Amino acid sequence: MSAPFRDDLRSAGPAWMRGGSPAADFITELTWEQVPREVTDRAVMCLIDTLAAMLAGRASASARAADDLARAWWPAGPATSIVSGSTLGTGGAAFANAVAANAVDIDDCGIYTWGHPGAQVVPTALALAEELRLSGRELITAIVVGYEIAFRAGRCVNHEQSAVHSAERTYRACGSWGAVACAAIACHAHGLDDDTTRHALGIAEYDSPDLPMMRAIDTPGMVKHGVGFGALTGLLSADLARRGFTGIEPSLDQERFGPYVEDLGSDYYLPRGITWKRYSSCAWTHPALLAVEKLRTEHPLPHGSVARVVIETYPDAARLGTRLPRTTEEAQFNLAWPVAAMLVDGRVGPEQVADARLGSPEITELCRRIDVVVTDDLTRRYYLSEVNDPEGSDSAVVTVTLTDGTVLSSGRVDHVLYPEPGWTLDEMRDKFTWLAAGRLEPASIPRLLAALADLESADDSSVLMRDLASSLIPVGAL
């Protein structure tokens, strides 16, 4: 016999809401005064880096399509699209700017995420800063919230990722956990309470895009890491929660993931958890690019004298392949093209992976001379690095045979991801200047860098985006 229906249970509220939530407490209670200086300084560098990536990607076909959609769907509002300079609804600006930030793959990578937090966190925080007229300190604090939640949400979403060591593995790309991080930013900026925030996180996780990342490696397209949908889903989720919409228990509240969140507010991952990119390509190519740079430093390597190149690497990097790219996305998710471009141009920036450069006969011919070999040692080291084993490393060996028979080897070159060594504020300013050149009016670049350096004293941080928008060179002129 079935149990009688008990109407009183309907108003009891979800059982998962009766316990505490370190994640919601952190999101709702964090203030500028609580955040260590090294963390806020790092957040400002992340802001500079992501703005540079947005500028670098704004003329891409994917960014222009996203901006066109945003102007059609959210044609009026307080927030700025860095692609067209248009003012749009908050969600539309965050969506378009996120796509631009990831369009040429020169945006940051984050620990435990297997992907790109800044391309979602920063556009979302900037759009909310314009909507709510946040102060500089409030904007920086919102960025800190976004990154710290992104690291933990990424770890939850892909917690089984590093245990699968085979060509069959897959994982959910950036927009999946990014939706949760962007919901957290919106909850913090709007001053939502703990219960509403927990529902927003649950809505964002439930409605987050699935994003099977390895399929995008095999058949690259503009979908890339789904960052635009991560930003938009997070904003929608927080707005729904504000209106009484309820969600599932977020992973951040589940007991099994307690160790991932219990240190929120006491141990900040941001100072050691970000890798900033010097190359406009998938991070799996970077060990090989570093190896080529080493060879170029030690030996004269005119590309016309290169007869053959062998790249020794690990399975994920090898999966990028050596096929000749037809689109910028295929060039970014490729191993041979960036290596050949480095040998020819000595640099892999947005120009080397742009659609207009894909017809280069020098790079194309060199691509045909590149072979990729997966070795047991580099594979073992790579998988150890994914579980933070001290013996692990993200490495490659590049061997170049010249037309005169000379054989040059880089030896094993390691790409240190976390913490990324060597970046200073001056180097970040140089990166911004490099990527902003030709995309902003020249006189505006030092002015914007000065405003970013003094951001914490700004009463209204939205002035930054208005100044940037007024300095944009129209996409059609690029």
Side-chain angles (χ1 to χ4, degrees):
M1 181 177 178
S2 61
F5 174 74
R6 291 183 55 191
D7 187 68
D8 61 305
L9 292 179
R10 299 179 66 190
S11 59
W16 59 268
M17 290 282 286
R18 295 171 200 161
S21 172
D25 291 345
F26 174 78
I27 293 163
T28 60
E29 297 174 10
L30 189 69
T31 64
W32 168 267
E33 292 74 19
Q34 295 171 325
V35 185
R37 168 55 67 176
E38 66 170 341
V39 178
T40 57
D41 286 349
R42 200 75 165 177
V44 171
M45 288 180 72
C46 288
L47 172 58
I48 297 170
D49 182 77
T50 306
L51 282 171
M54 289 161 62
L55 290 167
R58 61 185 289 260
S60 67
S62 59
R64 286 184 282 115
D67 176 76
D68 189 54
L69 174 76
R71 286 185 287 120
W73 283 35
W74 300 278
T80 304
S81 163
I82 206 170
V83 180
S84 61
S86 305
T87 51
L88 307 171
T90 304
F95 177 78
N97 290 337
V99 173
N102 186 238
V104 294
D105 221 335
I106 202 160
D107 49 311
D108 66 29
C109 299
I111 195 169
Y112 300 127
T113 66
W114 291 274
H116 305 267
Q120 301 167 90
V121 166
V122 171
T124 300
L126 286 171
L128 286 163
E130 290 193 272
E131 176 191 343
L132 303 173
R133 295 297 178 93
L134 299 181
S135 70
R137 291 185 174 189
E138 289 170 333
L139 169 59
I140 296 168
T141 307
I143 289 171
V144 171
V145 167
Y147 272 100
E148 293 298 325
I149 294 299
F151 300 140
R152 275 76 174 187
R155 202 173 183 186
C156 292
V157 166
N158 288 313
H159 67 281
E160 296 176 341
Q161 137 91 351
S162 59
V164 181
H165 296 168
S166 78
E168 304 305 317
R169 76 173 182 164
T170 188
Y171 62 96
R172 295 178 67 193
C174 308
S176 57
W177 47 261
V180 178
C182 293
I185 296 168
C187 291
H188 173 84
H190 282 289
L192 305 187
D193 61 33
D194 270 27
D195 285 357
T196 307
T197 295
R198 296 173 79 178
H199 279 298
L201 298 177
I203 297 165
E205 183 174 339
Y206 188 85
D207 289 325
S208 65
D210 181 56
L211 303 176
M213 185 64 229
M214 300 308 272
R215 290 175 61 189
I217 298 297
D218 296 336
T219 56
M222 293 180 186
V223 292
K224 295 192 76 180
H225 303 98
V227 293
F229 290 97
L232 185 56
T233 302
L235 286 166
L236 289 172
S237 299
D239 236 2
L240 281 169
R242 291 173 66 200
R243 289 163 167 76
F245 207 86
T246 59
I248 60 168
E249 178 184 19
S251 291
L252 293 170
D253 278 358
Q254 292 180 0
E255 184 177 358
R256 62 177 173 150
F257 295 127
Y260 298 173
V261 297
E262 61 191 12
D263 59 357
L264 275 165
S266 60
D267 184 12
Y268 289 87
Y269 296 177
L270 192 51
R272 65 180 188 275
I274 286 295
T275 288
W276 289 308
K277 287 187 166 188
R278 302 180 191 273
Y279 312 122
S280 193
S281 59
C282 175
W284 290 337
T285 70
H286 290 204
L289 293 173
L290 286 169
V292 172
E293 278 201 333
K294 179 184 177 186
L295 285 172
R296 284 174 55 86
T297 300
E298 297 173 348
H299 308 279
L301 278 179
H303 62 84
S305 68
V306 175
R308 185 174 182 238
V309 178
V310 176
I311 304 169
E312 297 174 52
T313 187
Y314 49 85
D316 283 350
R319 189 164 177 168
L320 294 169
T322 59
R323 60 190 177 275
L324 290 175
R326 297 162 297 178
T327 67
T328 182
E329 289 79 23
E330 290 182 358
Q332 295 163 45
F333 287 140
N334 191 294
L335 186 53
W337 185 268
V339 167
M342 178 66 80
L343 285 164
V344 173
D345 291 351
R347 158 178 279 183
V348 181
E351 289 75 19
Q352 280 69 39
V353 297
D355 289 322
R357 189 78 166 110
L358 301 185
S360 164
E362 297 88 357
I363 299 177
T364 297
E365 180 57 31
L366 197 48
C367 274
R368 295 193 172 105
R369 302 178 202 163
I370 294 177
D371 295 315
V372 177
V373 177
V374 174
T375 73
D376 291 341
D377 179 57
L378 297 184
T379 299
R380 180 182 66 84
R381 288 178 176 277
Y382 174 66
Y383 289 137
L384 286 174
S385 74
E386 291 202 329
V387 293
N388 300 317
D389 188 295
E391 194 182 345
S393 62
D394 194 21
S395 308
V397 178
V398 173
T399 302
V400 176
T401 302
L402 303 181
T403 52
D404 65 3
T406 302
V407 178
L408 305 171
S409 175
S410 67
R412 196 189 84 218
V413 175
D414 301 333
H415 180 210
V416 179
L417 292 173
Y418 310 112
E420 172 80 10
W423 281 91
T424 65
L425 181 57
D426 283 342
E427 287 179 301
M428 186 58 72
R429 290 168 178 270
D430 289 343
K431 180 177 177 180
F432 182 91
T433 301
W434 165 41
L435 296 178
R439 299 170 176 95
L440 288 178
E441 296 295 339
S444 71
I445 295 174
R447 183 177 71 247
L448 288 164
L449 284 170
L452 286 161
D454 197 37
L455 182 61
E456 70 176 78
S457 66
D459 293 328
D460 179 4
S461 65
S462 68
V463 173
L464 174 70
M465 287 299 281
R466 290 198 294 276
D467 189 8
L468 192 152
S470 69
S471 305
L472 293 171
I473 295 173
V475 165
L478 298 180

